[in-house]
Amino acid sequence: MDLRKLTNAAMMTAMAVVMTLIGVYIPPLFVLFFLIPAPIAITCIRSSESYAIASSFAVFIVNVIFTDIGTAFTSLFFALQGFVMGYLISKKRKASETLIDTSVVSIFGVIVIFYFIKVAFKINALDQFFKAIDMSTKEVLSIYQGHPNFSAIKSNLLTIEEMLKMTLPASIIIAVVAVILINYIIVYKILKTQRVYIDALPPFEEWKMPYITGWIFIGALLYQYFLKQPEAITTNIIVLLSLGFTLGGLAVVKYYLIHRLKIKSLAANLILVFLFLFPLTSWLLTVIGIVDTSIDLRKYMS
């Protein structure tokens, strides 16, 4: 037995357990719960796959003891997500391939978990989510009861409610990819301090959507237009691609700010936040992202 690998695995397991318990019992720090994949991935890379699997189940068992079975399975899901990421990194896969493959496995894992919860505990997770949205809408409407524009407020809230329900698949995919991306960045930075180098993600200002996605987006918009009513699959495709193009537009703008206007990275990031939050500029960013798929705008800024 390699004592060095065992020590590293023990430290990473302890870190994952602590983050889990802090995330559960201290609500303001709940985000730590989503960082479980990082220490498990590091265990897989620095120790071995067997240590990573043992660490994953150690996190699960601790959560069974100190929390509840639902939280325990959720922690196991994030731990196994970290295992997949660590395994792919240890096999020298590119950063983009690791993110895509881990995301696909994770999304499939979410489907399996929903099915398992339904079969084992007779609980439909989607129905519970929809009921929570309905309750929230009713509570908000009760606050505005008697308001002069109550009918308009009610109509808007019901429209938002329907959109939230319809775009749930896109929301899950976005959340999964965001968690994986953040954990990959954390793993990269931690390993770098230990002089273990893995494939780095390209700088944000170089991000761009693939060429084909622009045509898929246009096709989805035209299909939705002629359909004349929202359709679940098309709507989710539009939501996902819209976010991707918006990020692509932000990347183009950041490239321009840094390489043409010579603005510091921190100041450029603050400008990007403003552009993203402002509705008109956010829409323009999406357009820029779409154009950038077929015309490499950065070559005109060099």
Side-chain angles (χ1 to χ4, degrees), residues 4-22 32 35-44 46-63 75 79:
R4 193 174 181 181
K5 291 182 178 180
L6 177 62
T7 302
N8 177 75
M11 290 176 60
M12 291 298 103
T13 303
M15 183 182 296
V17 168
V18 170
M19 288 194 306
T20 303
L21 296 178
I22 290 176
L32 290 177
L35 302 183
I36 297 173
I40 303 300
I42 292 172
T43 300
C44 191
R46 296 298 310 273
S47 298
S48 68
E49 290 91 346
S50 57
Y51 280 115
I53 292 174
S55 297
S56 300
F57 283 98
V59 171
F60 172 74
I61 292 169
V62 169
N63 274 274
S75 67

Side-chain angles (χ1 to χ4, degrees), residues 163-236:
M163 285 301 297
L164 285 174
K165 291 179 179 179
M166 185 177 293
T167 58
L168 178 61
S171 301
I172 292 174
I173 293 172
I174 291 169
V176 167
V177 174
V179 168
I180 293 170
L181 177 62
I182 292 169
N183 277 279
Y184 189 93
I185 293 171
I186 292 172
V187 170
Y188 173 81
K189 290 185 177 297
I190 291 176
L191 291 179
K192 188 176 180 180
T193 63
Q194 301 173 358
R195 297 188 178 183
V196 177
Y197 301 99
I198 64 176
D199 189 45
L201 290 167
F204 177 69
E205 58 268 24
E206 295 179 10
W207 288 16
K208 65 178 296 184
M209 293 286 282
Y211 171 76
I212 190 63
T213 57
W215 291 107
I216 293 174
F217 183 71
I218 293 171
L221 285 177
L222 290 173
Y223 178 77
Q224 192 82 296
Y225 174 77
F226 288 110
L227 203 63
K228 299 191 178 189
Q229 61 181 358
E231 193 269 333
I233 295 177
T234 311
T235 300
N236 281 278

Side-chain angles (χ1 to χ4, degrees), residues 77-251:
F77 167 74
F78 284 119
L80 294 178
Q81 192 179 68
F83 169 77
V84 173
M85 181 188 298
Y87 175 79
L88 293 173
I89 292 173
S90 66
K91 298 304 178 183
K92 307 300 181 183
R93 298 289 291 274
K94 292 182 180 180
S96 57
E97 294 176 348
T98 299
L99 292 178
I100 292 171
D101 292 348
T102 307
S103 297
V104 171
V105 173
S106 299
I107 292 166
F108 177 75
V110 170
I111 296 172
V112 171
I113 289 172
F114 282 174
Y115 180 77
F116 174 78
I117 292 174
K118 185 175 181 179
V119 172
F121 303 104
K122 307 301 180 184
I123 298 174
N124 191 317
L126 295 180
D127 284 346
Q128 294 298 319
F129 176 79
F130 293 152
K131 287 178 181 178
I133 293 178
D134 290 337
M135 289 179 61
S136 300
T137 302
K138 290 177 181 178
E139 289 178 4
V140 173
L141 288 175
S142 66
I143 296 173
Y144 287 96
Q145 192 75 38
H147 192 280
N149 296 324
F150 178 74
S151 58
I153 294 173
K154 181 178 180 180
S155 177
N156 290 334
L157 282 174
L158 291 176
T159 301
I160 293 172
E161 179 183 347
E162 288 302 314
M163 285 301 297
L164 285 174
K165 291 179 179 179
M166 185 177 293
T167 58
L168 178 61
S171 301
I172 292 174
I173 293 172
I174 291 169
V176 167
V177 174
V179 168
I180 293 170
L181 177 62
I182 292 169
N183 277 279
Y184 189 93
I185 293 171
I186 292 172
V187 170
Y188 173 81
K189 290 185 177 297
I190 291 176
L191 291 179
K192 188 176 180 180
T193 63
Q194 301 173 358
R195 297 188 178 183
V196 177
Y197 301 99
I198 64 176
D199 189 45
L201 290 167
F204 177 69
E205 58 268 24
E206 295 179 10
W207 288 16
K208 65 178 296 184
M209 293 286 282
Y211 171 76
I212 190 63
T213 57
W215 291 107
I216 293 174
F217 183 71
I218 293 171
L221 285 177
L222 290 173
Y223 178 77
Q224 192 82 296
Y225 174 77
F226 288 110
L227 203 63
K228 299 191 178 189
Q229 61 181 358
E231 193 269 333
I233 295 177
T234 311
T235 300
N236 281 278
I237 291 173
I238 291 172
V239 170
L240 287 171
L241 292 181
S242 294
L243 178 60
F245 293 135
T246 302
L247 292 175
L250 286 169

